[in-house]
Amino acid sequence: MLPRVAFYGRTVEASDLATAAFVVGGQYQQCVSVLPDGAITAVFLDLGTRPDYRRAPATLILDNEREISRDGGLDALLTEANRPERRFDFVISTDVHRLSRCTVTSTALLRTLAVAGIEFLHAPEIRDGVTDCQSCPGDYAASTTSRC
């Protein structure tokens, strides 16, 4: 069974929206590269710092000119995480600091996700084999240990 994973990306530097979107696009590609095709079911991203996020573009344009639709920012992700009909069971990002650079805030956000039954995945740990695959969903962990 394919995991249902939401991507969350953020860049603090948002004065140039094109550059910011490019940075977040790179984060997205890094996360996609460690998951099976089709695993990402929702895309959330922010530009700037909370609560003063800049208006993020509705889509990300990746380097291969493919467009990815945006489903909202961190607030929308947290709202959907608490809904019974949510589209994801995991959230992936390149770093926990994408949630917040403040340790207290990022810890609180991780706790909020955990209470909702959502596990936070770090793309570099999956890529580098740091994780013991407990965070990989069911059959995927058992059948693809080379990616975990």
Side-chain angles (χ1 to χ4, degrees):
M1 184 172 166
L2 198 60
R4 299 182 317 149
V5 183
F7 163 77
Y8 180 71
R10 180 178 67 92
T11 182
V12 174
E13 180 50 51
S15 58
D16 176 6
L17 290 179
T19 301
F22 179 77
V23 169
V24 175
Q27 294 171 14
Y28 176 84
Q29 289 178 314
Q30 185 178 352
C31 292
V32 166
S33 72
V34 300
L35 295 172
D37 290 342
I40 293 191
T41 56
V43 175
F44 299 92
L45 63 100
D46 289 305
L47 307 178
T49 56
R50 193 176 195 198
D52 301 317
Y53 293 128
R54 295 263 329 250
R55 182 168 175 82
T59 59
L60 281 178
I61 299 176
L62 305 177
D63 62 1
N64 58 5
E65 298 184 15
R66 191 176 72 149
E67 290 187 14
I68 303 296
S69 296
R70 175 181 182 263
D71 294 299
L74 182 59
D75 293 332
L77 184 150
L78 294 172
T79 298
E80 185 167 339
N82 286 300
R83 290 185 182 149
E85 71 281 359
R86 67 180 179 232
R87 296 171 288 163
F88 54 90
D89 300 306
F90 300 87
V91 172
I92 191 168
S93 193
T94 57
D95 189 330
V96 71
H97 293 115
R98 295 303 102 215
L99 295 174
S100 175
R101 291 204 178 264
C102 172
T103 303
V104 171
T105 303
S106 62
T107 301
L109 291 168
L110 289 171
R111 187 174 297 121
T112 298
L113 290 172
V115 166
I118 305 291
E119 188 166 348
F120 189 84
L121 305 174
H122 299 87
E125 289 181 357
I126 295 170
R127 180 198 65 222
D128 296 338
V130 174
T131 181
D132 61 4
C133 288
Q134 290 180 10
S135 46
C136 295
D139 296 335
Y140 177 65
S143 64
T144 358
T145 55
S146 63
R147 290 186 111 171
C148 293

